[in-house]
Amino acid sequence: MAPAPMTITDAAAERVKVLLEKRGKPSVGIRIGVRSKGCSGMSYTLEYADEKTQFDEILEDKGVTVLIDPKATMFILGTEMDFVEDKMQSGFVFKNPNEKGRCGCGESFHV
């Protein structure tokens, strides 16, 4: 069996569960992708997934389902998705071993 394309921390899984519960309509999970944006070229996208598509990579872990857009898979292999909350900010953080750099504001990356 091939290794999962990415991992999800306990904190991220708990936050995903909360978001899906608050949504108010059934979802199969969340979908992660990347798009061209920002100073460094790419940014992560996160959205509710109403259905699985034929080519989605599927990660089922810690009670949540994460669908990975097939166009994003090669950019996020080995990535850890975390959720961080402190006095200054809260949000999902992606620790990606493929990143060659990030922009100063942290919004985008390049591989």
Side-chain angles (χ1 to χ4, degrees):
M1 186 174 179
M6 64 179 291
T7 57
I8 184 168
T9 66
D10 292 340
E14 289 306 313
R15 184 63 181 160
V16 168
K17 287 177 192 173
V18 168
L19 290 172
L20 290 173
E21 286 169 12
K22 285 184 177 179
R23 185 174 187 212
K25 75 180 233 182
S27 302
V28 295
I30 59 163
R31 178 172 285 107
I32 295 176
V34 294
R35 69 174 180 214
S36 296
K37 179 184 174 192
C39 326
S40 285
M42 303 179 94
S43 68
Y44 297 100
T45 62
L46 201 60
E47 62 188 16
Y48 294 110
D50 292 324
E51 61 187 19
K52 296 175 183 175
T53 66
Q54 181 180 354
F55 298 107
D56 283 335
E57 288 269 354
I58 300 169
L59 170 66
E60 292 176 324
D61 191 21
K62 300 178 176 68
V64 297
T65 301
V66 178
L67 307 175
I68 303 165
D69 184 300
K71 296 183 290 294
T73 302
M74 68 182 206
F75 298 110
I76 62 174
L77 283 174
T79 296
E80 177 189 72
M81 178 180 167
D82 195 7
F83 183 77
V84 177
E85 203 164 9
D86 61 32
K87 291 178 181 169
M88 302 297 283
Q89 65 178 356
S90 67
F92 289 103
V93 175
F94 295 88
K95 297 172 186 153
N96 186 337
N98 305 303
E99 283 183 17
K100 301 287 186 260
R102 277 190 169 251
C103 66
C105 63
E107 286 292 316
S108 62
F109 68 99
H110 67 273
V111 292

